[in-house]
Amino acid sequence: MAEPFYVTTAISYPNGAPHIGHAYEAIAADAITRFQRQAGRDVRFQTGTDEHGLKMVQAARAAGQEVADYAAAMSAGFRAMCDRLNISYDRFIRTTAPDHHAATQELWRRMAANGDLYLDRYEGWYSVRDEAFYDEKELVGEGDDRRSPQGTPVEWTAEETWFFRLSRYQQPLLDLYAASPDFIRPDSRRNEVARFVEGGLSDLSVSRTSFDWGVPVPDSPGHVMYVWVDALANYLSGTGWPGDAPERRFWPPDLHLIGKDIVRFHAVYWPAFLMSAGIDLPRSVFGHGFLLHRGEKMSKSIGNVVDPLALADAFGVDALRYFLLREVSFGQDGSYSADAIVTRVNAELANAFGNLVQRTLSFIAKNLDGVLPTPGKVDDADGVLIEEVLVACAGLRAAFGDLLLSQGIEGWLRGVFACNAYIDTAAPWALRKTDLERMHAVLGTLVRAIRLLAIAILPVVPGAAGRVLDQLGAEGRDHAAMDDEGWYARQAASGFRLTAPTPVFPRLELPVEVAA
Ligand code: MSP
């Protein structure tokens, strides 16, 4: 039985339409998922929506709808985005689901049984936008201008609530960070979190009484859980915990992929809740950076919030996926714009890889009637090229295993460039007139190389790379297929024939309406 691998994204607040930041996280998690599946792991990928809390109540009110109806309709928009972007999730969880409520209440009971919950009065600052409590000392600005460290407005809140004894977990958390350096990645975020925890932890208010849109606290009428308790619990409830569903094999998660703004919740509160409840901890939390539009933060007031589906319609899903994973060094902030997408995709996908595939396959279709070339007259250059391509693909594999997505794609590109240099030097179109045997060897080498490169890049551009492999009749698409040196000989012997290929990586134009 393959080894389980459990990856999650944050679950999004569906209090507005999904934006490119949500798309980015889903695409990155999907590429990691597809890569781990290729590596032979038994993968579970969970994403979804975080539907409780005051922010959702206020958004529904503003839309003039019942919050349950509003949440259902808005959640469907997030799911549709995932489907459109070819996100291969295994479960799209909604925190309004009954199984999620039951599991979250069980988590609560276990924290209570461990003596970590007590009733008291909360008086302090709350940011509805972040759904977060803040200490006075964390705020910036004065008087009515007081803001959270994220720059969001805060309001004074005073109510009876349950508290979680977070203060008890200061040392256990610091021990965890020291013992498992990969628990928080990248390193810069680990240092930030460790400094926050070293500064001392106050107990955390974990229930609300001023509204009722949430998971009810067991045996405590009038209290619903603080939305982050319920939200974090999605990772656990989604595996069927505490029942005995087969998905339980995926616990603990290998990777919680989240944005840098919510690292504290995942790397401080979440492991503390789990320690309290006696549940194994996730292996790692990775805080990716933020996507900025032309270097600026997206905001409704600036009017630069770009709909990811409009970008997918304008440029294609694969082009958008490729751009986001290639352009941004994973973990850092990155900038996007329509012209940057066009430039990057045209240079690397359309001109470099797309052209290589198109030139090679159409040449075979036209000149050999689609029949795969014979071994022909072999030259050292052929072996050298295959070696370069294998090294490039191995580079991608090593990098993706470490979540170095952009570097991995860069490594892969070196293989593509090597093929283009080889085809220019070997010039099969000239060999057609002078040395047919050599022409066969060159084209056969290129087919081999293209198959390897297409399998390697599948996690990033599953649609287009899948079509390249369809054109080659290559069924195996995992790492074992890449390592299968006998594929070409078998495929050629089977009598397989290529048909005239249609280009799978079209050149992009900058459409007027998204040129901003
Ligand atoms: N509901 C919480 C997460 C609960 S997880 C138990 C939440 N939702 S969110 O909708 O605000 O954000 C969802 C994810 O999108 C987060 O990981 C967040 O960091 C990420 N992003 C939000 N804006 C982003 C960008 N501009 N760029 C990249 N990612 C961004 O937080």
Side-chain angles (χ1 to χ4, degrees):
M1 189 67 196
E3 208 189 330
F5 186 92
Y6 181 24
V7 54
T8 66
T9 64
I11 48 172
S12 305
Y13 294 124
N15 66 320
H19 58 61
I20 189 81
H22 298 121
Y24 175 59
E25 189 170 301
I27 289 170
D30 185 61
I32 293 163
T33 293
R34 289 175 185 271
F35 173 78
Q36 292 293 345
R37 287 197 195 116
Q38 282 188 317
R41 300 289 292 266
D42 173 24
V43 181
R44 181 171 180 84
F45 170 18
Q46 180 162 297
T47 188
T49 44
D50 180 2
E51 302 181 22
H52 294 128
L54 204 46
K55 177 147 109 166
M56 284 299 287
V57 171
Q58 292 180 355
R61 200 177 293 145
Q65 291 180 35
E66 288 296 325
V67 60
D69 298 340
Y70 176 78
M74 299 300 285
S75 172
F78 277 80
R79 194 178 179 131
M81 174 196 78
C82 287
D83 293 339
R84 173 79 175 94
L85 298 178
N86 223 342
I87 306 301
S88 58
Y89 56 80
D90 296 288
R91 178 162 181 192
F92 186 96
I93 194 167
R94 298 185 53 200
T95 53
T96 41
D99 65 332
H100 172 71
H101 280 218
T104 306
Q105 288 172 327
E106 181 57 22
L107 177 67
W108 182 283
R109 284 191 201 96
R110 296 206 186 178
M111 298 196 293
N114 200 41
D116 283 330
L117 297 173
Y118 60 93
L119 264 182
D120 203 346
R121 190 173 164 73
Y122 178 78
E123 287 197 17
W125 296 102
Y126 193 77
S127 158
V128 177
R129 214 139 11 110
D130 303 345
E131 295 283 20
F133 299 97
Y134 289 107
D135 279 348
E136 177 94 37
K137 62 175 193 285
E138 293 183 89
L139 301 183
V140 288
E142 298 285 316
D144 287 349
D145 250 6
R146 275 197 195 85
R147 298 203 156 244
S148 78
Q150 317 270 4
T152 57
V154 289
E155 56 192 46
W156 186 254
T157 306
E159 62 192 62
E160 182 195 62
T161 72
W162 286 96
F163 277 81
F164 173 75
R165 288 187 203 283
L166 186 63
S167 53
R168 267 193 182 175
Y169 291 90
Q170 179 179 11
Q171 198 51 48
L173 287 168
L174 292 172
D175 293 345
L176 166 69
Y177 308 151
S180 314
D182 271 359
F183 181 72
I184 312 171
R185 288 182 289 171
D187 291 351
S188 55
R189 311 229 194 278
R190 182 176 57 249
N191 298 337
E192 209 175 290
V193 168
R195 269 199 305 277
F196 170 75
V197 175
E198 280 160 7
L201 293 174
S202 315
D203 288 349
L204 182 70
S205 168
V206 286
S207 76
R208 303 297 307 262
T209 43
S210 51
F211 60 92
D212 64 0
W213 178 242
V215 177
V217 172
D219 310 315
S220 188
H223 286 258
V224 291
M225 292 183 206
Y226 168 42
V227 63
W228 269 101
V229 175
D230 144 35
L232 289 162
N234 92 83
Y235 303 129
L236 186 60
S237 66
T239 63
W241 185 90
D244 55 5
E247 290 74 29
R248 286 285 299 279
R249 72 182 183 281
F250 291 104
W251 195 268
D254 293 271
L255 174 64
H256 287 316
L257 185 63
I258 53 162
K260 64 179 184 180
D261 56 327
I262 56 172
V263 170
R264 185 188 294 184
F265 299 94
H266 285 79
V268 181
Y269 304 164
W270 181 225
F273 296 162
L274 291 169
M275 285 179 195
S276 169
I279 297 169
D280 288 347
L281 304 184
R283 297 200 173 91
S284 97
V285 171
F286 186 96
H288 63 72
F290 260 47
L291 271 189
L292 308 169
H293 180 254
R294 293 189 181 280
E296 267 189 279
K297 211 172 160 175
M298 285 180 286
S299 97
K300 285 185 190 155
S301 52
I302 304 177
N304 62 350
V305 183
V306 172
D307 173 5
L309 300 187
L311 289 176
D313 288 345
F315 302 122
V317 169
D318 286 309
L320 178 62
R321 291 174 61 112
Y322 183 86
F323 171 79
L324 290 174
L325 299 182
R326 168 75 177 108
E327 183 83 3
V328 184
S329 174
F330 201 51
Q332 320 257 309
D333 289 349
S335 203
Y336 75 95
S337 61
D339 45 351
I341 298 177
V342 170
T343 306
R344 173 74 75 181
V345 168
N346 281 351
E348 297 177 2
L349 275 189
N351 294 354
F353 191 51
N355 235 342
L356 165 72
V357 173
Q358 189 59 21
R359 283 205 281 181
T360 307
L361 303 195
S362 57
F363 194 89
I364 296 171
K366 212 157 123 202
N367 297 293
L368 301 178
D369 244 357
V371 176
L372 291 184
T374 61
K377 195 197 309 171
V378 177
D379 187 286
D380 284 351
D382 309 342
V384 169
L385 178 74
I386 294 297
E387 192 50 37
E388 280 175 315
V389 168
L390 284 171
V391 167
C393 294
L396 182 145
R397 277 160 72 166
F400 271 45
D402 288 336
L403 306 185
L404 298 168
L405 305 181
S406 177
Q407 291 90 324
I409 300 172
E410 196 177 341
W412 171 84
L413 268 175
R414 281 196 279 277
V416 175
F417 294 148
C419 288
N420 281 321
Y422 171 88
I423 199 171
D424 287 342
T425 310
W429 45 88
L431 293 171
R432 189 167 66 91
K433 295 183 199 117
T434 55
D435 190 347
L436 276 180
E437 282 290 286
R438 182 69 200 126
M439 180 194 85
H440 273 265
V442 167
L443 293 171
T445 303
L446 287 167
V447 168
R448 282 193 183 93
I450 289 169
R451 184 185 77 104
L452 294 171
L453 291 166
I455 296 176
I457 205 67
L458 264 174
V460 179
V461 288
R467 285 193 292 282
V468 171
L469 292 164
D470 290 345
Q471 291 178 354
L472 296 176
E475 275 162 25
R477 297 186 179 191
D478 56 9
H479 292 166
M482 288 177 82
D483 300 337
D484 171 14
E485 290 173 15
W487 174 81
Y488 185 85
R490 288 197 311 277
Q491 187 70 347
S494 75
F496 172 80
R497 271 184 181 212
L498 293 166
T499 45
T502 42
V504 292
F505 297 103
R507 267 191 73 80
L508 303 180
E509 304 285 339
L510 194 58
V512 181
E513 64 275 20
V514 290

